[in-house]
Structures are given as C-alpha cells and as structure tokens.
Amino acid sequence: MDFGLVLQTDPPASQVISLMKRAERAGFRYGWTFDSSVLWQEPFVIYSQILAQTERMIVGPMVTNPGTRTWEVTASTFATLNDMFGNRTVCGIGRGDSAMRVAGRKPNTLAKISEAMKVIRALGSGEEADPGGGTPVKFPWIKPGAELPVWMAAYGPKALKMAGEEADGFILQLADPFLTEWMVKAVRDAAVAAGRDPGDVTICVAAPAYLTEDDSAAALAHARDECRWFGGMVGNHVADLVAKYGEHSGLVPEALTEYIKAREGYDYAHHGRAGNPDTAFVPDDIVDRFCVIGTAEQHVSKLRELRELGVDQFAVYAMHDAREAVIDGYGGTVIPALRG
C-alpha cells in the first residue's frame, strides 16, 4: 500500500513544503493538496518547490476541476512540471465543490469532467487533442516518454461508473470499509464492462487520520473533534446526491446518506478546517467510520482491512492540530506495517 499526505495550501507556503519533505522522509510517496483558488494559495506554484526539494514524491491536486482553468493550461502546467522533474505528477480531478461554489458557479457536470480528462491526459502525454475550441493542438516541446495519469474523485453511481470506464485512478474521500467495498466494486464492474482490466484503475482512499496514545474516552473525543470537519465536507457531496437521486432510491447506500438529515447549511469560510461550526451535525459514529482514528495498532488494523478491499493508496488528510505527529507516527509504525 502506498501513502499520501493531503494539505491545504495555507500560507506560508514554506510550511507546506516542509511538511511534504518530512512526509517523504517518513515514507509517504504522494503529496496532495486542495485546489480552490479563492480559499487557498495557488498549488501548482508550490508543487514546483515540493518537487525541487524532494527526490521521489509524486504531487497533484485532490482535486482540481475542469471549470476554473482552461484544459490546455492545466495540461501544460502538469507537463512542464513533469519535464522539469521527471513524470512526478498526477491529475486528481472532480466536480469542483468549493472551487466553483465560492466563485458563484455550479460544480461541473460529469460530461464536462469526462471530456476534460481525455483532453488533459492526452495533451499532458504529448498527444494531440481539442481543448474545446474546435482546433486540435499539441505541445511541440514535450519529450517522448511523457505521461500524465488522471484520477477521478467520485461518490454517486454515474460518477463511479465513469471512473471505472475512463479514469486511471479512483479517489474515494472516506475510509469506511462498507462503503469502500461498495464503491470499489462499482468502479471495477464498470471497468470490466468497458473492456478494461480493473487492476489498471488505481484505488485511492483519502480521509483524516489522527493518532492517539491510547484508546481512552478523552483521547478519542479530542481526535473526533479534530476530524469532524470531514463529515461536513463529505456531506456537501452527499447532499447533492440526495437532491439528484432521492433519499431511498437504492442507487446510493443509505449508510452514506442517512447522517445528513440534520445538516442545515455550509459556510465555505470554514471549509476543511477543524472546529468548523457547520459540522456539529456530524455524529461520532460517522467520524469513526469515515476517518481513521485511535492508536497506531488500530490504524494498522483498519488500513489492512481497506487493503484487502483493493485499496492501493491511503492519503492522509492532515487538517488538525497534530500534523507532524501523524506524519512521524505513520513513518515509524503504520507505513512499515502496511508495506511489510
């Protein structure tokens, strides 16, 4: 199993770079960041410094979207980094929840994501593609051997199907074993139906991880409070699914949708942050299911279960008060156990 670290690009950028360097030393292979232009600093500028100051780390957004950047610009940015540092980027892409809504736009449609994935992957790999204006283009400066994998974030049935049919990787932003099994199966079934080898679709589970010294009630309560924001973030996507498919459609597991009944709204000013006041509706059992909290041994146990379900990478959201501790703890205990 591979491991990634997910950070917001809050200033100072030097701290983001420092944490990524620390993560590489601890055994993390991937460095991910949010990509929401209004809320945080520009990630691609910071990727250049992370790549320059690490040796093997692969970087990318979790996730970008096809609406805030033109597709040829996105592809050129990735391709330039790969030319400078040797194919060490991955394009995570999705609907653009915060990036689009904060700017007063609606999240992108699946049809737009599908077309963007094809264009960005092709252009970033040195092939010809039409970025939307009716004129095929190709970057003349890309060297042979360039490649740009595109991983898609998804929850709903149509998005899961598209990820299996078209994406190089599937990003699932929660660590609940029941839902992971359900969604990984949907992606793999779609890949098989499309004539693909399901093993060609990398499975990445991303969620907050918080290490505690023991499993006392006080320690777990603090960990839950530091990670409760995640249930609110996921709840934004779940609310869209309920609006689209209904509460009891059978197309989306009620294990995913049931908890948002008490959701009243969401202020993106607190997006992805511990202490988010709009996530008080998230119950403890959702935090326990969606996140990975507890002692190192408990982390290892849950991650082994996820690995058995086909998860290739666990990406740690480190938006809490113990970022260094979770990086070092994973490097000292969890990563060796899962790689051994």
Side-chain angles (χ1 to χ4, degrees), residues 283-300:
D284 287 351
D285 73 293
I286 287 292
V287 180
D288 292 346
R289 284 171 45 204
F290 285 13
C291 306
V292 184
I293 65 173
T295 64
E297 292 75 16
Q298 290 169 322
H299 283 240
V300 169

Side-chain angles (χ1 to χ4, degrees), residues 171-193:
I171 298 171
L172 173 58
Q173 295 175 89
L174 53 80
D176 175 70
F178 173 80
L179 291 171
T180 297
E181 182 175 20
W182 192 90
M183 294 186 185
V184 168
K185 182 180 185 301
V187 169
R188 287 180 165 169
D189 286 350
V192 171

Side-chain angles (χ1 to χ4, degrees), residues 301-322:
S301 177
K302 186 168 187 176
L303 292 176
R304 280 179 175 154
E305 185 177 3
L306 292 172
R307 184 176 63 181
E308 289 301 311
L309 296 174
V311 175
D312 300 299
Q313 179 185 157
F314 178 58
V316 175
Y317 277 107
M319 276 66 83
H320 49 56
D321 65 359

Side-chain angles (χ1 to χ4, degrees), residues 45 54 80-81 108 128 150 156 207 258 270 293 326 332:
V45 176
T54 58
T80 300
L81 291 172
N108 296 275
E128 184 179 84
V150 179
E258 185 69 19
H270 310 285
I293 65 173
V326 78

Side-chain angles (χ1 to χ4, degrees), residues 106-283:
K106 293 181 179 179
N108 296 275
T109 64
L110 291 179
K112 189 170 184 179
I113 296 172
S114 174
E115 188 60 28
M117 285 200 299
K118 295 181 180 73
V119 170
I120 292 168
R121 180 194 293 116
L123 290 176
S125 301
E127 301 170 8
E128 184 179 84
D130 179 0
T135 301
V137 297
K138 180 179 180 180
F139 300 145
W141 46 267
I142 288 188
K143 301 185 181 90
E147 59 182 37
L148 177 59
V150 179
W151 296 8
M152 180 181 167
Y155 290 110
K158 292 182 179 179
L160 294 170
K161 182 174 182 289
M162 197 171 87
E165 292 172 342
E166 302 180 23
D168 300 303
F170 163 49
I171 298 171
L172 173 58
Q173 295 175 89
L174 53 80
D176 175 70
F178 173 80
L179 291 171
T180 297
E181 182 175 20
W182 192 90
M183 294 186 185
V184 168
K185 182 180 185 301
V187 169
R188 287 180 165 169
D189 286 350
V192 171
R196 302 182 69 193
D197 180 348
D200 290 342
V201 184
T202 302
I203 307 296
C204 174
V205 158
Y210 199 102
L211 285 165
T212 60
E213 292 185 4
D214 54 46
D215 57 359
S216 67
L220 292 175
H222 180 75
R224 289 180 184 121
D225 285 344
E226 287 295 310
C227 298
R228 200 174 305 276
W229 63 267
F230 185 67
M233 187 183 83
V234 174
N236 295 332
H237 303 285
V238 175
D240 287 344
L241 292 176
V242 170
K244 183 172 184 177
Y245 296 106
E247 287 188 41
H248 307 291
S249 65
L251 296 173
V252 182
E254 291 190 23
L256 176 63
T257 61
E258 185 69 19
Y259 83 100
I260 69 160
K261 287 184 177 180
R263 179 180 183 269
E264 296 181 351
Y266 194 83
D267 182 354
Y268 282 90
H270 310 285
H271 188 57
R273 300 191 185 280
N276 186 333
D278 295 319
T279 61
F281 73 93
V282 180

